[in-house]
Amino acid sequence: MNDQQPGRKLSQSRSLAERALATLQHFLHVEAISGIVLLVATAVALLWANSPFAHSYHDVWSLTVPLPFDGFTFKRPLHFWINDGLMTVFFLVVGTEIRREVYEGALSRFDQAILPVLAAFGGVIVPALIYLSFNTAAGRDHGWAIPTATDIAFAVGVLALLGKSIPGNVRVFLLALAIIDDIIAVLIIALFYTSGLDPSGCAVAALGVVMAFGFQRIGFGSAYAYIVPAFIVWAGFLMAGVHPTLAGVVLGLITPVRSPSPEIVPPIIRVETALHPWVAYAIMPLFALANAGVSFKGMELSGGAQFVTLGVALALCAGKPVGVIGATWLAVRTGWCRLAPDVTWGSVCLIGLLAGIGFTMSIFIAMLAFADKKLLDAAKLGVLFGSLISVTVGLGWGAEYAHRRQKGER
């Protein structure tokens, strides 16, 4: 009896590792393709917003879409349903990714997690300082967090274009860095871009969370059963003055990581596998289509708006690499951490450059930071320029790095 126990534990551990590897491979595959889809959606938005049909671009997103509910109709523009509704599903996937990485992935062990954590903090602090160095004026300083985020889809997608010459540990480092960036971005939104809290809304959100835990305790396995508590959490956050999309993060973090039987795929993997393609191929491109349409006609980069554009762009394409590479070098130099096998300083430079692709999350934070349309457009322009430079330089250095690896150089 005792002789069989170690073998059973080994089998379960191997099964768990295989599931984790399969999920990671699925994640990277979806992200690689979705980065291209996201790029196409961005190009369409820019062309549409600067075409003779530009008025229709804004008219479409302003259309009122009603949501009938028990005799009451909740009306909001289409733009709201995309940014505050569908993006909740995006944040749900972010939450499940964080939960899974903490449980069994790159963030599950302190010695593995500490280096990308420190690198991520460097990649947040330096861009914020660069932005603020250009934008100390009241109003403009509210956008300090815009260049602190990394777009996972774009970054991993660009890395995938470099082919299999890039070692697996480099991909894991970038993935862990981007996920930690998401965690920091979520905390920033909750702490700095949330107005006064309404206690009644917090109570409603807490009720939804309790319902979700109750359903888990009872053993409800169908995802449809959790739609009602999820909607209650979302509505509670909206009532409380917290950005409702953060409800997705909360729900993702409480998704079970263990299944009642070894033969059943854990709920967190089922949820992530089911939703991730929808997020990557539909929700994020739709978000880009609805928000990346910056009109260059009549744009006035004056009155300080030019410094918003400059600050965001420079913080992304220069601040991110300096912060990520600098923090990594300092952590290794002081002996706190070591680079993983096959991760060289050339690949750390590549990770730093790709971390400057802010796009989705940066635009999302920009919309929370600025109510002034002129400043918002200037910030979006900075995100587009900074991300484009990061993509171009990252691909250039990535190609050179891959060539050096093939020649056996470090």
Side-chain angles (χ1 to χ4, degrees):
M1 196 72 164
N2 293 335
D3 293 339
Q4 295 176 354
Q5 193 68 20
R8 186 179 305 166
K9 289 183 177 179
L10 182 61
S11 177
Q12 291 178 353
S13 299
R14 185 180 296 115
S15 176
L16 187 63
E18 289 174 353
R19 289 176 182 173
L21 180 60
T23 304
L24 176 62
Q25 291 174 338
H26 173 79
F27 178 92
L28 293 173
H29 175 72
V30 172
E31 293 292 5
I33 301 175
S34 69
I36 300 173
V37 177
L38 203 55
L39 185 61
V40 172
T42 303
V44 171
L46 287 170
L47 290 173
W48 188 1
N50 291 277
S51 71
F53 309 100
H55 64 281
S56 65
Y57 176 82
H58 301 286
D59 291 343
V60 166
W61 312 120
S62 300
L63 289 173
T64 300
V65 179
L67 177 66
F69 182 74
D70 193 24
F72 171 75
T73 302
F74 186 66
K75 297 180 180 179
R76 286 293 188 274
L78 180 58
H79 198 265
F80 170 87
W81 291 117
I82 294 172
N83 291 0
D84 295 53
L86 290 179
M87 285 297 284
T88 304
V89 183
F90 164 78
F91 278 98
L92 171 60
V93 173
V94 169
T96 58
E97 289 167 1
I98 295 170
R99 180 78 175 93
R100 180 174 51 77
E101 289 295 326
V102 169
Y103 179 71
E104 62 183 13
L107 307 181
S108 60
R109 288 174 49 188
F110 180 81
D111 58 345
Q112 290 179 340
I114 187 61
L115 186 56
V117 166
L118 294 174
F121 271 102
V124 167
I125 294 171
V126 174
L129 292 176
I130 289 179
Y131 176 86
L132 288 173
S133 68
F134 290 94
N135 296 280
T136 55
R140 300 204 316 263
D141 61 345
H142 207 217
W144 64 270
I146 296 171
T148 62
T150 297
D151 189 300
I152 297 180
F154 260 148
V156 175
V158 171
L159 192 65
L161 293 177
L162 297 172
K164 295 183 179 180
S165 57
I166 305 300
N169 278 339
V170 176
R171 299 172 188 272
V172 172
F173 194 140
L174 177 61
L175 182 60
L177 175 69
I179 289 175
I180 297 163
D181 253 5
D182 279 345
I183 297 174
I184 297 173
V186 167
L187 293 174
I188 287 173
I189 293 171
L191 295 175
F192 298 98
Y193 294 103
T194 296
S195 55
L197 296 178
D198 183 344
S200 61
C202 293
V204 171
L207 174 63
V209 173
V210 171
M211 285 182 62
F213 274 124
F215 287 179
Q216 291 177 14
R217 186 75 175 177
I218 295 172
F220 287 174
S222 173
Y224 296 105
Y226 294 88
I227 292 178
V228 172
F231 179 77
I232 292 175
V233 176
W234 181 86
F237 273 37
L238 184 64
M239 292 168 56
V242 180
H243 203 276
T245 53
L246 295 184
V249 179
V250 173
L251 294 167
L253 291 175
I254 66 174
T255 303
V257 293
R258 296 178 181 175
S259 60
S261 169
E263 287 78 24
I264 301 176
V265 178
I268 197 166
I269 294 182
R270 282 188 282 134
V271 170
E272 189 175 341
T273 303
L275 292 180
H276 194 213
W278 287 99
V279 169
Y281 300 138
I283 293 175
M284 289 178 66
L286 187 58
F287 173 84
L289 187 63
N291 294 282
V294 179
S295 177
F296 301 116
K297 186 178 181 181
M299 175 180 283
E300 294 183 12
L301 292 179
S302 59
Q306 69 273 28
F307 294 111
V308 172
T309 300
L310 178 62
V312 171
L314 192 60
L316 282 173
C317 67
K320 269 288 188 180
V322 170
V324 170
I325 298 169
T328 303
W329 179 85
L330 187 62
V332 173
R333 181 71 174 176
T334 55
W336 294 351
C337 308
R338 290 185 301 173
L339 295 178
D342 292 329
V343 177
T344 65
W345 287 110
S347 57
V348 171
C349 291
L350 175 60
I351 291 169
L353 291 169
L354 297 183
I357 307 173
F359 199 66
T360 306
M361 191 67 83
S362 292
I363 290 179
F364 188 86
I365 295 176
M367 292 187 299
L368 300 179
F370 296 128
D372 185 302
K373 186 178 184 303
K374 184 169 74 171
L375 292 180
L376 177 56
D377 285 347
K380 288 181 179 180
L381 191 62
V383 171
L384 293 174
F385 279 152
S387 298
L388 178 61
I389 293 171
S390 296
V391 169
T392 304
V393 178
L395 278 174
W397 173 249
E400 174 64 20
Y401 168 72
H403 179 66
R404 289 184 180 186
R405 276 189 56 82
Q406 291 177 347
K407 292 175 61 177
E409 300 177 9
R410 303 284 294 180

